[in-house]
Amino acid sequence: LVVDRKDPRAALAVLDSIPVPDSAAFLKMRIGFERANAYTAAGMKDSAQAVVTRLAAEFPTNRRLKQMMQRMK
């Protein structure tokens, strides 16, 4: 929705409706990345940074998260 329809708020609504179990690390990361991208597209950079910071605390060795944090500075 963010890319195809340029509708980040709709994307956030869909992402919020997806249940993510704590045991699904890959899904948690994927949803987190998409949520951060949607917040950025909606002009909510603080919210995007909060999502990435929370994920980085949970997955401190993830290279993609480190790259996202660098781009957000």
Side-chain angles (χ1 to χ4, degrees), residues 1 9-10 14 16-17 21-23 25 29 40 46 56 64 70:
L1 290 170
R9 296 201 185 269
V14 170
D16 287 341
S17 72
D22 287 336
S23 61
M29 292 286 290
T40 300
D46 290 344
R64 186 172 176 196
Q70 287 297 320

Side-chain angles (χ1 to χ4, degrees), residues 25 29 33 52-69:
M29 292 286 290
F33 289 140
V52 173
T53 300
R54 188 172 57 244
L55 285 172
E58 191 168 347
F59 304 101
T61 60
N62 187 282
R63 186 176 63 231
R64 186 172 176 196
L65 282 170
K66 290 177 183 178
Q67 291 170 344
M68 286 182 86
M69 289 183 77

Side-chain angles (χ1 to χ4, degrees), residues 11 27 38 40 50-51 62 71:
L27 183 58
T40 300
V51 168
N62 187 282
R71 280 194 309 253

